[in-house]
Amino acid sequence: MDRDQQIDLLRQQAEQLGIAARVAWLGARAQAEVMAQYARADLFVLSSLIEGLPNALLEAMAVGLPVLATRIGGSLEAIEADVSGVLVDPGSADALAAGLGPLLDEPERRAELGAAATVVLASATGLPISTTHTLVGAVLGVGFARGIAALNLR
């Protein structure tokens, strides 16, 4: 299945779930736009089954987004469970939903996790928090975000 077919399936699923009007299919974007989208987001979810150290995860952490990710690869290195993010078992929609539910319901918890994520990333890089966002965006460059779908929680 190619990328366009995958996106078509996701759009159909959004329709079936009744959330299509709340999903923006943004497609590939320049780095500055990607970082701006992160800054407007309430939450970052990475439900991968296989991953190295995901650039998108690091970027989300750099801008202070609370992160929910599957317990795989580099996510285990980047996230301190229940401190700088929430980790769930991969391949389980139930685990993903269980991790996501409280984050949707608790804006204070999201704020705590997002703040901790930024501190963890700054600590790992040895740079001040104010510099981390700029550095992560500059180092990772353009093109990693081959497509973005944003869900409006409000």
Side-chain angles (χ1 to χ4, degrees):
M1 180 179 310
D2 69 20
R3 181 176 152 71
D4 290 336
Q5 291 170 318
Q6 289 174 343
I7 291 172
D8 287 343
L9 284 175
L10 290 171
R11 287 178 194 234
Q12 290 171 13
Q13 187 174 21
E15 279 291 333
Q16 292 167 353
L17 293 171
I19 62 170
R22 296 173 59 191
V23 177
W25 301 94
L26 305 178
R29 298 286 182 201
Q31 186 66 27
E33 285 186 69
V34 171
M35 297 308 281
Q37 288 295 327
Y38 286 140
R40 287 191 287 274
D42 295 309
L43 175 66
F44 178 83
V45 178
L46 184 70
S47 60
S48 298
L49 298 175
I50 299 171
E51 223 29 277
L53 181 58
N55 291 346
L57 176 65
L58 298 177
E59 290 174 338
M61 292 175 73
V63 297
L65 272 177
V67 296
L68 168 65
T70 46
R71 218 178 252 108
I72 53 135
S75 296
L76 293 168
E77 297 173 38
I79 298 170
E80 185 177 346
D82 298 321
V83 174
S84 60
V86 175
L87 291 168
V88 299
D89 291 332
S92 170
D94 290 339
L96 195 62
L100 188 56
L103 292 175
L104 296 176
D105 294 337
E106 301 172 20
E108 299 84 16
R109 181 72 176 130
R110 290 195 311 265
E112 290 170 6
L113 290 170
T118 302
V119 170
V120 165
L121 189 60
S123 175
T125 62
L127 296 169
I129 291 172
S130 60
T131 307
T132 304
H133 169 264
T134 304
L135 177 67
V136 168
V139 169
L140 297 178
V142 176
F144 81 93
R146 294 170 42 196
I148 300 173
L151 174 63
N152 182 353
L153 299 178
R154 293 174 203 90

